[in-house]
Amino acid sequence: MAKKVTEDAHLLGRPYPRSPAVVTMHARGRDNAIACGAYCHISEEPPLYGIAIGPERFSHGLIAESGEFAINFLPIESAELILAVGDVSGRDVDKFTRFNIATEKPVKISAPVLADAYVAYECKVVDRFTIGDHSWFVGKILAAHYREEVFGEKMALDLNKISPALYTKRTLFLTADKSSLRRVQGVKQ
Ligand SMILES: Cc1cc2nc3c(=O)[nH]c(=O)nc-3n(C[C@H](O)[C@H](O)[C@H](O)COP(=O)(O)O)c2cc1C
């Protein structure tokens, strides 16, 4: 079937599945958390992670002020938590109290690490750009927290041990089907 073509790409949205992260931060004597689908691991050496945060988000000011954030990846069982922190603003509620979010102590920064995360990176902001209607914060990874038991060969996620949260539209969550896992023969031997 022929593909439709549009110049209004935003109508299409971003329907392809990806893991929604929860970015946490600490400033002004309090913690906050935001659902974040716009992120990218950008560099190995130095280890850098980028996140796109809208300037209207309460989190934006807290990250800018503290110069720190943690990025947390969660299992499908935490889908409600991800949506909850993406549905309300820290301006109006303390999300950690309201949603009873369990945390663990960070080792390098002051932003909390989520207890339910299977991997989380503590990042210090080393650069920032305005890109379109978002700010792109570049964070240097100072520490990584991970559940060793959910990683298998070559540190790939073991889908027998963890069902990562993915989403295809803001409120439509899914996970990876482990029966679909296959090793692909690359062109390089
Ligand atoms: C799945 C999902 C992904 C989201 N991704 C982003 C994102 O990448 N950047 C962003 O600024 N907001 C994103 N949002 C919206 C914020 O999470 C939402 O506006 C949140 O309530 C802001 O909270 P705050 O005002 O406490 O910062 C996303 C929301 C959801 C549900």
Side-chain angles (χ1 to χ4, degrees), residues 10-48:
H10 73 275
L11 292 179
L12 179 63
R14 295 168 294 278
Y16 28 84
R18 62 182 285 132
S19 299
V22 171
V23 169
T24 50
M25 74 279 333
H26 179 92
R28 302 177 202 165
R30 55 165 298 180
D31 296 329
N32 194 39
I34 178 175
C36 178
Y39 62 81
C40 185
H41 187 277
I42 13 183
S43 164
E44 296 288 339
E45 193 48 55
L48 299 176

CSV table of all heavy atoms in Angstrom, one decimal, residues 10-48:
chain,number,residue,atom,x,y,z
A,10,HIS,N,3.8,16.6,12.9
A,10,HIS,CA,3.3,16.5,14.3
A,10,HIS,C,2.0,15.8,14.3
A,10,HIS,O,1.6,15.3,15.4
A,10,HIS,CB,3.3,17.9,14.9
A,10,HIS,CG,2.1,18.7,14.4
A,10,HIS,ND1,2.2,19.5,13.3
A,10,HIS,CD2,0.9,18.9,14.9
A,10,HIS,CE1,1.1,20.2,13.1
A,10,HIS,NE2,0.3,19.8,14.1
A,11,LEU,N,1.3,15.7,13.2
A,11,LEU,CA,0.0,15.0,13.2
A,11,LEU,C,0.2,13.5,13.4
A,11,LEU,O,-0.6,12.8,14.0
A,11,LEU,CB,-0.7,15.2,11.8
A,11,LEU,CG,-1.2,16.6,11.5
A,11,LEU,CD1,-1.9,16.6,10.1
A,11,LEU,CD2,-2.2,17.0,12.6
A,12,LEU,N,1.3,13.1,12.9
A,12,LEU,CA,1.7,11.7,13.0
A,12,LEU,C,2.2,11.4,14.5
A,12,LEU,O,1.9,10.3,15.0
A,12,LEU,CB,2.8,11.4,12.0
A,12,LEU,CG,3.4,10.0,12.0
A,12,LEU,CD1,2.3,9.0,11.6
A,12,LEU,CD2,4.5,9.9,11.0
A,13,GLY,N,2.8,12.4,15.1
A,13,GLY,CA,3.3,12.1,16.4
A,13,GLY,C,4.5,11.2,16.4
A,13,GLY,O,5.2,11.2,15.4
A,14,ARG,N,4.8,10.5,17.4
A,14,ARG,CA,5.9,9.6,17.5
A,14,ARG,C,5.4,8.2,17.9
A,14,ARG,O,5.6,7.8,19.1
A,14,ARG,CB,7.0,10.2,18.4
A,14,ARG,CG,7.6,11.5,18.0
A,14,ARG,CD,8.4,12.2,19.0
A,14,ARG,NE,7.6,12.6,20.1
A,14,ARG,CZ,6.9,13.8,20.2
A,14,ARG,NH1,6.8,14.6,19.1
A,14,ARG,NH2,6.2,14.1,21.2
A,15,PRO,N,4.8,7.5,17.0
A,15,PRO,CA,4.0,6.3,17.4
A,15,PRO,C,4.9,5.1,17.6
A,15,PRO,O,4.4,4.1,18.2
A,15,PRO,CB,3.1,6.1,16.3
A,15,PRO,CG,3.8,6.7,15.1
A,15,PRO,CD,4.6,7.9,15.6
A,16,TYR,N,6.2,5.2,17.2
A,16,TYR,CA,7.0,4.0,17.3
A,16,TYR,C,7.4,3.8,18.8
A,16,TYR,O,7.7,4.7,19.5
A,16,TYR,CB,8.3,4.2,16.5
A,16,TYR,CG,8.7,5.6,16.3
A,16,TYR,CD1,9.4,6.2,17.3
A,16,TYR,CD2,8.2,6.4,15.2
A,16,TYR,CE1,9.8,7.6,17.2
A,16,TYR,CE2,8.5,7.7,15.1
A,16,TYR,CZ,9.3,8.3,16.1
A,16,TYR,OH,9.6,9.6,16.0
A,17,PRO,N,7.4,2.5,19.2
A,17,PRO,CA,7.7,2.3,20.7
A,17,PRO,C,9.0,2.7,21.1
A,17,PRO,O,10.0,2.5,20.4
A,17,PRO,CB,7.5,0.7,20.8
A,17,PRO,CG,7.0,0.2,19.5
A,17,PRO,CD,7.2,1.3,18.5
A,18,ARG,N,9.1,3.2,22.3
A,18,ARG,CA,10.4,3.5,23.0
A,18,ARG,C,10.1,3.5,24.5
A,18,ARG,O,9.0,3.6,24.9
A,18,ARG,CB,11.0,4.8,22.5
A,18,ARG,CG,10.2,6.1,22.8
A,18,ARG,CD,10.9,7.3,22.2
A,18,ARG,NE,12.0,7.7,23.1
A,18,ARG,CZ,13.2,8.0,22.6
A,18,ARG,NH1,13.5,7.9,21.3
A,18,ARG,NH2,14.2,8.3,23.4
A,19,SER,N,11.2,3.5,25.3
A,19,SER,CA,11.1,3.5,26.7
A,19,SER,C,10.9,4.9,27.2
A,19,SER,O,11.7,5.7,27.0
A,19,SER,CB,12.4,3.0,27.4
A,19,SER,OG,12.6,1.7,27.0
A,20,PRO,N,9.8,5.2,27.9
A,20,PRO,CA,9.7,6.5,28.5
A,20,PRO,C,10.5,6.5,29.8
A,20,PRO,O,10.4,5.6,30.7
A,20,PRO,CB,8.2,6.6,28.9
A,20,PRO,CG,7.7,5.2,29.0
A,20,PRO,CD,8.6,4.3,28.2
A,21,ALA,N,11.4,7.4,29.9
A,21,ALA,CA,12.2,7.5,31.1
A,21,ALA,C,11.5,8.4,32.2
A,21,ALA,O,10.6,9.2,31.8
A,21,ALA,CB,13.6,8.1,30.8
A,22,VAL,N,12.0,8.3,33.4
A,22,VAL,CA,11.6,9.3,34.4
A,22,VAL,C,12.8,10.0,34.8
A,22,VAL,O,13.8,9.4,35.3
A,22,VAL,CB,10.9,8.6,35.6
A,22,VAL,CG1,10.7,9.6,36.7
A,22,VAL,CG2,9.5,8.1,35.2
A,23,VAL,N,12.8,11.3,34.6
A,23,VAL,CA,14.0,12.2,35.0
A,23,VAL,C,13.6,12.7,36.4
A,23,VAL,O,12.5,13.3,36.6
A,23,VAL,CB,14.2,13.3,34.0
A,23,VAL,CG1,15.2,14.3,34.5
A,23,VAL,CG2,14.7,12.6,32.6
A,24,THR,N,14.6,12.6,37.3
A,24,THR,CA,14.4,13.1,38.6
A,24,THR,C,15.4,14.2,38.9
A,24,THR,O,16.5,14.3,38.3
A,24,THR,CB,14.6,12.0,39.7
A,24,THR,OG1,15.8,11.3,39.4
A,24,THR,CG2,13.4,11.0,39.6
A,25,MET,N,15.1,15.1,39.8
A,25,MET,CA,16.0,16.2,40.1
A,25,MET,C,15.7,16.7,41.5
A,25,MET,O,14.7,16.4,42.1
A,25,MET,CB,15.9,17.4,39.1
A,25,MET,CG,14.7,18.3,39.2
A,25,MET,SD,13.1,17.8,38.4
A,25,MET,CE,13.3,16.7,37.2
A,26,HIS,N,16.6,17.5,42.1
A,26,HIS,CA,16.5,18.1,43.4
A,26,HIS,C,17.0,19.5,43.4
A,26,HIS,O,18.1,19.8,43.0
A,26,HIS,CB,17.3,17.2,44.4
A,26,HIS,CG,17.2,17.8,45.8
A,26,HIS,ND1,16.3,17.3,46.7
A,26,HIS,CD2,17.9,18.7,46.5
A,26,HIS,CE1,16.4,17.9,47.9
A,26,HIS,NE2,17.4,18.8,47.7
A,27,ALA,N,16.1,20.4,43.8
A,27,ALA,CA,16.5,21.8,43.9
A,27,ALA,C,15.5,22.5,44.8
A,27,ALA,O,14.4,22.0,45.0
A,27,ALA,CB,16.5,22.5,42.5
A,28,ARG,N,15.8,23.7,45.3
A,28,ARG,CA,14.9,24.5,46.2
A,28,ARG,C,14.4,23.6,47.3
A,28,ARG,O,13.3,23.7,47.8
A,28,ARG,CB,13.7,25.0,45.4
A,28,ARG,CG,14.1,25.9,44.2
A,28,ARG,CD,12.9,26.3,43.4
A,28,ARG,NE,13.3,26.7,42.1
A,28,ARG,CZ,12.4,26.9,41.1
A,28,ARG,NH1,11.1,26.8,41.2
A,28,ARG,NH2,12.9,27.2,39.9
A,29,GLY,N,15.3,22.7,47.8
A,29,GLY,CA,15.0,21.9,49.0
A,29,GLY,C,14.0,20.8,48.7
A,29,GLY,O,13.4,20.3,49.7
A,30,ARG,N,13.7,20.4,47.5
A,30,ARG,CA,12.7,19.4,47.2
A,30,ARG,C,13.1,18.6,46.0
A,30,ARG,O,13.9,18.9,45.2
A,30,ARG,CB,11.4,20.1,47.0
A,30,ARG,CG,11.4,21.1,45.9
A,30,ARG,CD,10.1,21.5,45.4
A,30,ARG,NE,9.4,20.3,44.9
A,30,ARG,CZ,8.1,20.4,44.4
A,30,ARG,NH1,7.5,21.5,44.4
A,30,ARG,NH2,7.6,19.3,43.9
A,31,ASP,N,12.4,17.4,45.9
A,31,ASP,CA,12.6,16.5,44.8
A,31,ASP,C,11.5,16.7,43.8
A,31,ASP,O,10.4,17.1,44.1
A,31,ASP,CB,12.5,15.0,45.2
A,31,ASP,CG,13.7,14.6,46.1
A,31,ASP,OD1,14.8,15.2,46.0
A,31,ASP,OD2,13.4,13.8,47.0
A,32,ASN,N,11.7,16.4,42.5
A,32,ASN,CA,10.7,16.4,41.5
A,32,ASN,C,11.0,15.3,40.5
A,32,ASN,O,12.2,14.8,40.4
A,32,ASN,CB,10.5,17.7,40.8
A,32,ASN,CG,9.1,17.8,40.1
A,32,ASN,OD1,8.1,17.3,40.5
A,32,ASN,ND2,9.2,18.4,38.9
A,33,ALA,N,10.0,14.9,39.7
A,33,ALA,CA,10.2,13.8,38.7
A,33,ALA,C,9.3,14.2,37.5
A,33,ALA,O,8.2,14.7,37.6
A,33,ALA,CB,9.7,12.5,39.3
A,34,ILE,N,9.8,13.9,36.3
A,34,ILE,CA,9.1,14.2,35.1
A,34,ILE,C,9.2,13.0,34.1
A,34,ILE,O,10.3,12.4,34.0
A,34,ILE,CB,9.6,15.5,34.4
A,34,ILE,CG1,8.9,15.8,33.1
A,34,ILE,CG2,11.1,15.5,34.2
A,34,ILE,CD1,9.3,17.1,32.4
A,35,ALA,N,8.1,12.6,33.4
A,35,ALA,CA,8.2,11.6,32.4
A,35,ALA,C,8.9,12.2,31.2
A,35,ALA,O,8.7,13.4,30.9
A,35,ALA,CB,6.8,11.2,32.0
A,36,CYS,N,9.8,11.5,30.6
A,36,CYS,CA,10.6,12.1,29.5
A,36,CYS,C,10.9,11.0,28.4
A,36,CYS,O,11.5,10.0,28.7
A,36,CYS,CB,12.0,12.6,30.1
A,36,CYS,SG,13.1,13.2,28.9
A,37,GLY,N,10.3,11.3,27.3
A,37,GLY,CA,10.5,10.4,26.1
A,37,GLY,C,11.5,10.9,25.2
A,37,GLY,O,12.0,10.1,24.3
A,38,ALA,N,11.9,12.1,25.3
A,38,ALA,CA,12.9,12.7,24.4
A,38,ALA,C,14.3,12.8,25.1
A,38,ALA,O,14.6,13.7,25.8
A,38,ALA,CB,12.4,14.1,24.0
A,39,TYR,N,15.0,11.7,24.9
A,39,TYR,CA,16.3,11.6,25.5
A,39,TYR,C,17.2,10.8,24.5
A,39,TYR,O,16.7,10.1,23.6
A,39,TYR,CB,16.3,10.9,26.8
A,39,TYR,CG,15.7,9.5,26.7
A,39,TYR,CD1,16.6,8.4,26.4
A,39,TYR,CD2,14.4,9.2,27.0
A,39,TYR,CE1,16.1,7.2,26.2
A,39,TYR,CE2,13.9,8.0,26.8
A,39,TYR,CZ,14.7,6.9,26.4
A,39,TYR,OH,14.3,5.7,26.3
A,40,CYS,N,18.5,10.8,24.8
A,40,CYS,CA,19.4,10.0,23.9
A,40,CYS,C,20.8,9.8,24.6
A,40,CYS,O,21.3,10.8,25.3
A,40,CYS,CB,19.6,10.8,22.6
A,40,CYS,SG,20.6,9.9,21.4
A,41,HIS,N,21.3,8.6,24.6
A,41,HIS,CA,22.7,8.4,25.0
A,41,HIS,C,23.5,8.9,23.9
A,41,HIS,O,23.4,8.5,22.7
A,41,HIS,CB,22.9,6.9,25.2
A,41,HIS,CG,24.2,6.6,25.8
A,41,HIS,ND1,25.3,6.5,25.1
A,41,HIS,CD2,24.6,6.4,27.1
A,41,HIS,CE1,26.4,6.3,25.9
A,41,HIS,NE2,25.9,6.2,27.1
A,42,ILE,N,24.4,9.9,24.1
A,42,ILE,CA,25.1,10.6,23.0
A,42,ILE,C,26.6,10.2,22.9
A,42,ILE,O,27.1,10.3,21.8
A,42,ILE,CB,24.9,12.1,23.0
A,42,ILE,CG1,24.4,12.7,24.3
A,42,ILE,CG2,24.1,12.6,21.9
A,42,ILE,CD1,24.2,14.1,24.3
A,43,SER,N,27.2,10.0,23.9
A,43,SER,CA,28.7,9.8,23.8
A,43,SER,C,29.2,8.7,24.8
A,43,SER,O,28.6,8.7,26.0
A,43,SER,CB,29.4,11.1,24.1
A,43,SER,OG,30.8,11.0,24.4
A,44,GLU,N,30.1,7.9,24.4
A,44,GLU,CA,30.7,6.9,25.3
A,44,GLU,C,31.8,7.5,26.2
A,44,GLU,O,31.9,7.3,27.4
A,44,GLU,CB,31.3,5.7,24.5
A,44,GLU,CG,30.3,4.9,23.7
A,44,GLU,CD,29.5,4.0,24.5
A,44,GLU,OE1,29.8,3.7,25.7
A,44,GLU,OE2,28.4,3.7,24.0
A,45,GLU,N,32.7,8.3,25.5
A,45,GLU,CA,33.8,8.9,26.2
A,45,GLU,C,34.0,10.3,25.9
A,45,GLU,O,34.5,10.6,24.8
A,45,GLU,CB,35.1,8.1,25.9
A,45,GLU,CG,36.3,8.4,26.8
A,45,GLU,CD,35.9,8.4,28.3
A,45,GLU,OE1,35.3,7.4,28.8
A,45,GLU,OE2,36.1,9.4,29.0
A,46,PRO,N,33.6,11.3,26.7
A,46,PRO,CA,33.0,11.1,28.0
A,46,PRO,C,31.6,10.6,27.9
A,46,PRO,O,31.0,10.8,26.8
A,46,PRO,CB,33.0,12.5,28.6
A,46,PRO,CG,32.9,13.4,27.4
A,46,PRO,CD,33.7,12.7,26.3
A,47,PRO,N,31.1,9.9,28.9
A,47,PRO,CA,29.8,9.3,28.9
A,47,PRO,C,28.7,10.5,29.0
A,47,PRO,O,28.7,11.1,30.0
A,47,PRO,CB,29.7,8.4,30.0
A,47,PRO,CG,30.8,8.8,30.9
A,47,PRO,CD,31.8,9.5,30.1
A,48,LEU,N,28.0,10.7,28.0
A,48,LEU,CA,27.0,11.8,28.0
A,48,LEU,C,25.6,11.3,27.6
A,48,LEU,O,25.4,10.5,26.8
A,48,LEU,CB,27.4,12.9,26.9
A,48,LEU,CG,28.8,13.5,27.1
A,48,LEU,CD1,29.1,14.5,26.0
A,48,LEU,CD2,28.9,14.3,28.4
